[in-house]
């Protein structure tokens, strides 16, 4: 039998039909703009990447202000906390994308198009998972417990992988999506611009671009399984969950080129993410338990924001200190990654 406290919270959302429509329309416009920007393959300069990154960081700040003015401090704080959480998880996504781009030897001029397809795929997958998560929270009183367990297990896996160095490994020959595509269609030896298929000897063939885009999207699926339960640990409002994911993902293409030389130096990021996901997992379990035993404490959203920011700050500082003598080597690695 569902807890009435949980059920009441699960039904609350600020997402009116017009707000959903306006937000989805805005996301589609921004995605279309990104496709226009990347229609001609070119290497991304630091000036271009920084400009777009500032733009995509200003959008959630403005949205936070709109939420605060129109809906109050609670949804605004939940959005900001969820956004910071999703942005931190997306940086881990970028590290895996960096490894995939290197493994597939993606030309520098095509890197941003690969990232854009990956972001679009992530948006679609997150939308599906958000809808499924909302339905589960509305009908299953133990959904918070399940989400919490998923995050705790993910945190343990991240910690184990970080201790063994497994998180830095990408073996494309073992990726099921790549093996399936190679089985059904031939693959050209070289890239053909932004084309994913070409006709050779009277037969349609895939280009390596199709393989890397598929690999990135398959990776998106794994990330979505962790990401959506994590943000539901911050807010139970499906609209805010979607908004945090959309704002966190849209700026990833530009952010990748800003951080590409720094990504390899964030050697303690996985430890920080394990702590954050474990913390949110505990928060979800306590939230579920509080619906039955009101003497148990709940972790407020503001406290979650402080924990996330502090943990990210600590692992960033310790990572930079641990790798401060390898800046030149990291720059050379980043250049070869996108080249």
């Amino acid at each position: 039998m569902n807890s009435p406290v949980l059920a009441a919270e699960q039904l609350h959302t600020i997402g009116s039909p017009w707000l959903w429509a306006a937000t989805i329309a805005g996301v589609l416009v921004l995605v279309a703009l990104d496709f226009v920007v990347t229609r001609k393959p070119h290497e991304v300069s630091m000036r271009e990447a920084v400009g777009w990154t500032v733009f995509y960081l200003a959008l959630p700040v403005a949205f936070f202000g709109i939420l605060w003015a129109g809906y109050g401090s609670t949804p605004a704080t939940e959005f900001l906390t969820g956004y910071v959480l999703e942005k931190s998880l997306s940086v881990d996504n970028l590290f895996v994308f960096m490894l995939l781009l290197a493994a597939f030897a993606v030309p520098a001029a095509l890197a941003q198009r690969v990232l854009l397809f990956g972001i679009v795929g992530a948006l679609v997958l997150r939308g599906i998972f958000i809808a499924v998560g909302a339905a589960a929270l509305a009908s299953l009183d133990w959904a918070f417990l399940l989400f919490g367990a998923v995050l705790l297990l993910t945190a343990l896996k991240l910690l184990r992988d970080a201790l063994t160095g497994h998180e830095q490994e990408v073996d494309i020959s073992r990726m099921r999506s790549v093996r399936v595509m190679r089985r059904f269609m031939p693959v050209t030896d070289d890239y053909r611009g932004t084309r994913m298929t070409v006709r050779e000897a009277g037969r349609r063939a895939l280009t390596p671009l199709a393989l890397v885009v598929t690999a990135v999207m398959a990776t998106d699926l794994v990330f979505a399984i962790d990401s959506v339960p994590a943000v539901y640990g911050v807010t139970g409002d499906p609209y805010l969950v979607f908004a945090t994911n959309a704002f966190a993902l849209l700026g990833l293409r530009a952010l990748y080129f800003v951080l590409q030389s720094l990504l390899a130096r964030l050697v303690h990021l996985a430890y920080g993410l394990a702590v954050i996901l474990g913390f949110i997992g505990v928060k979800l379990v306590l939230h579920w338990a509080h619906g039955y035993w009101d003497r148990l404490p709940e972790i407020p959203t503001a406290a979650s924001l402080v924990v996330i920011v502090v943990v990210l700050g600590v692992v960033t500082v310790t990572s930079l200190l641990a790798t401060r003598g390898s800046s030149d080597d990291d720059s050379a690695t980043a250049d070869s990654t996108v080249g």
Side-chain angles (χ1 to χ4, degrees):
M1 187 172 181
N2 285 356
S3 164
V5 175
L6 294 180
E9 292 185 2
Q10 290 155 11
L11 294 176
H12 178 69
T13 178
I14 66 169
S16 61
W18 73 264
L19 190 57
W20 271 103
T23 304
I24 293 174
V27 170
L28 293 176
V29 168
L30 291 172
V31 170
L33 177 63
D34 269 355
F35 272 103
V36 170
V37 170
T38 61
R39 71 186 187 281
K40 293 183 179 180
H42 65 281
E43 294 189 35
V44 179
S45 66
M46 181 58 68
R47 181 177 180 180
E48 177 185 353
V50 169
W52 281 109
T53 298
V54 171
F55 171 74
Y56 278 114
L57 289 176
L59 287 179
V61 172
F63 189 74
F64 168 78
I66 293 172
L67 287 178
W68 189 288
Y71 300 94
S73 60
T74 298
T77 303
E78 289 179 355
F79 166 77
L80 181 62
T81 305
Y83 172 76
V84 174
L85 172 62
E86 288 299 310
K87 205 65 176 179
S88 64
L89 293 174
S90 69
V91 173
D92 195 40
N93 295 26
L94 287 182
F95 186 78
V96 176
F97 290 165
M98 181 182 72
L99 296 178
L100 286 172
L101 291 174
F104 282 96
V106 177
L110 295 177
Q112 61 176 339
R113 177 52 67 99
V114 172
L115 293 172
L116 180 55
F117 276 115
I119 291 168
V120 172
L123 281 169
V124 173
L125 289 171
R126 301 289 173 87
I128 295 171
F129 275 73
I130 288 168
V132 172
L137 294 178
S139 59
L140 303 174
D141 62 340
W142 46 266
F144 280 106
L145 183 62
L146 174 62
F147 285 3
V150 168
L151 294 183
L152 289 171
L153 290 174
T154 302
L156 290 175
K157 181 180 183 301
L158 274 176
L159 185 60
R160 183 195 65 191
D161 290 347
L163 291 172
T164 60
H166 179 69
E167 85 281 2
Q168 299 182 3
E169 299 175 1
V170 170
D171 186 354
I172 59 177
S173 64
R174 297 178 60 184
M175 298 187 72
R176 183 174 301 176
S177 58
V178 173
R179 295 203 307 268
V180 169
M181 294 184 71
R182 287 186 179 276
R183 184 179 302 171
F184 288 99
M185 292 185 70
V187 181
T188 62
D189 294 329
D190 56 345
Y191 287 86
R192 306 294 175 87
T194 59
R195 300 176 66 183
M196 293 195 187
T197 65
V198 294
R199 184 169 292 278
E200 287 191 343
R203 185 181 181 186
R204 182 65 62 179
L206 299 172
T207 68
L209 182 63
L211 296 185
V212 66
V213 167
T214 301
V216 167
M217 289 187 176
T219 304
D220 286 336
L221 178 61
V222 178
F223 284 127
I225 294 173
D226 303 332
S227 176
V228 173
V231 75
Y232 267 121
V234 173
T235 175
D237 187 333
Y239 172 77
L240 291 178
V241 173
F242 175 78
T244 57
N245 274 269
F247 279 110
L249 289 171
L250 283 171
L252 279 189
R253 177 183 60 83
L255 186 63
Y256 173 84
F257 296 101
V258 173
L259 297 180
Q260 59 180 335
S261 61
L262 180 62
L263 286 174
R265 297 187 60 189
L266 296 179
V267 292
H268 297 157
L269 177 62
Y271 297 102
L273 293 180
V275 171
I276 290 172
L277 290 179
F279 171 79
I280 298 297
V282 171
K283 182 178 186 295
L284 280 168
V285 173
L286 286 175
H287 180 72
W288 168 80
H290 183 79
Y292 296 92
W293 302 285
D294 55 9
R295 292 185 179 182
L296 289 175
E298 285 197 280
I299 300 174
T301 302
S304 301
L305 178 59
V306 172
V307 169
I308 293 169
V309 171
V310 169
V311 170
L312 290 176
V314 169
V315 298
T316 299
V317 171
T318 58
S319 294
L320 295 179
L321 289 176
T323 58
R324 58 186 171 182
S326 59
S327 300
D328 295 337
D329 293 339
D330 291 334
S331 298
T333 301
D335 292 340
S336 63
T337 296
V338 297

